[in-house]
Amino acid sequence: MKTSVFALVLLCACGDTPTDDEIADDSADRLTLEDDEIASFLGADRVSDPIASTAGFRRVGLLWDATEDNALEVRTSLDGVIWTEWKAPQVVSQEQIARAGHVDAVVGIAATGSTATDPLATYYQLRVPEGRVLPTFIVVEPMPDIPAIFDPDEAVAEDPEDTQILEASTPIGSVTIHSRREWGARLPRCATSRMTPNRATIHHTVTPTRDSMTVPQRLRQIQSFHMFSRGWCDIGYNYLVSRDGRVWRGRGARTVGAHVLNSNTGNVGISFIGTYTATAPTADQMCNAARLLRRLHEDFGGISLTRDDVKGHRQYGGTSCPGDALYNRIDDIVRKARSGCATN
């Protein structure tokens, strides 16, 4: 077995507990692997080196795409010497190849989710069992707490405003906001605060850019992970933009999201579906994100179409989101919001 310890690469996607609308996903310990990176990372024996978490964790959250069940296992350690048994993730969402779930590092956590006195694990390892086909996509997110178990029967009803299909005609064209019903969203697990938008933040979801899943399938995977592995009220973003330029309603403009640490109230989170560390957003994505920003500006007034009010997630610190290839185009998106789009 390998013995070296990896320092984790920051590829942070862009996240709430049921009672706190001011937290988000800014983990420096998030690891993303896709396609050939997975085989290289695991090596010939299909077991990763021990991976160090800078902050410590009690749960390892996982998103992965695999053609068969039980294609991924995790073990954890407090000290890098004594390890737990290998465990398959508890699956919270499975739709075709897209899966979401988690492995808890500490045994015997109460159902209340209280973990304040439990020790934090420091290391984890990944492996693909012998005979299993390698996943094509893996996200690993060490989490400091294990949330309370959620009973789906306790879901709260959505405000009727949040289920509408909004067709917005603007001076720079029209954009359709595809409803939660269209992508098969679950009801939120708890009530969230209302807000008046006064700024916006651009994110990426850090999911496959060349995606074999439909957009609704991928959105359902993300929402399930946010709700059942992270323990949040709902999908964290207010809107999402797919590679084909379609705009999808997450929490909507008037509901506080969970996407920037301590800076969610008034802040509309717009997340581009995919990974944009090296791959540029499409012209349709940029244009319709610009049209969405223009509509938010016109409807609510508080969001100026400038870089003062439209930022990339990394400008709040602690993350590389939304990836260099998208971050470097935010100026262009804001210009399009002001002056219009030639595409579509």
Side-chain angles (χ1 to χ4, degrees), residues 61 76 81 118 122 130 133 145 160-161 164 231 244 276 290 335 342 344:
T76 62
V81 178
D118 295 301
T122 307
E130 185 176 353
V133 177
D145 294 304
E161 177 185 358
Q164 293 175 353
D244 57 12
Y276 297 91
R335 277 195 294 270
N344 282 25

Side-chain angles (χ1 to χ4, degrees), residues 1-6 45 47-52 75 80-81 83 123 125:
M1 180 179 296
K2 306 182 186 81
T3 56
S4 62
V5 176
F6 277 104
D45 58 1
V47 179
S48 75
D49 288 331
I51 304 165
R75 69 175 187 172
V81 178
W83 292 85
Y123 301 95
Q125 284 183 282

Side-chain angles (χ1 to χ4, degrees), residues 2 37-48 134:
K2 306 182 186 81
E37 294 175 333
I38 295 173
S40 177
F41 189 80
L42 296 178
D45 58 1
R46 297 153 61 100
V47 179
S48 75
L134 289 175

Side-chain angles (χ1 to χ4, degrees), residues 162-213:
D162 289 334
T163 61
Q164 293 175 353
I165 299 173
L166 173 64
E167 296 200 5
S169 295
T170 76
I172 59 171
S174 72
V175 59
T176 298
I177 310 300
H178 293 276
S179 71
R180 291 170 62 92
R181 186 177 295 111
E182 286 185 78
W183 60 268
R186 295 176 180 270
L187 289 173
R189 61 178 287 178
C190 45
T192 50
S193 301
R194 307 297 282 174
M195 69 179 187
T196 299
N198 56 36
R199 56 206 159 117
T201 301
I202 305 297
H203 303 262
H204 64 165
T205 60
V206 196
T207 51
T209 307
R210 301 179 301 278
D211 205 342
S212 63
M213 306 296 291

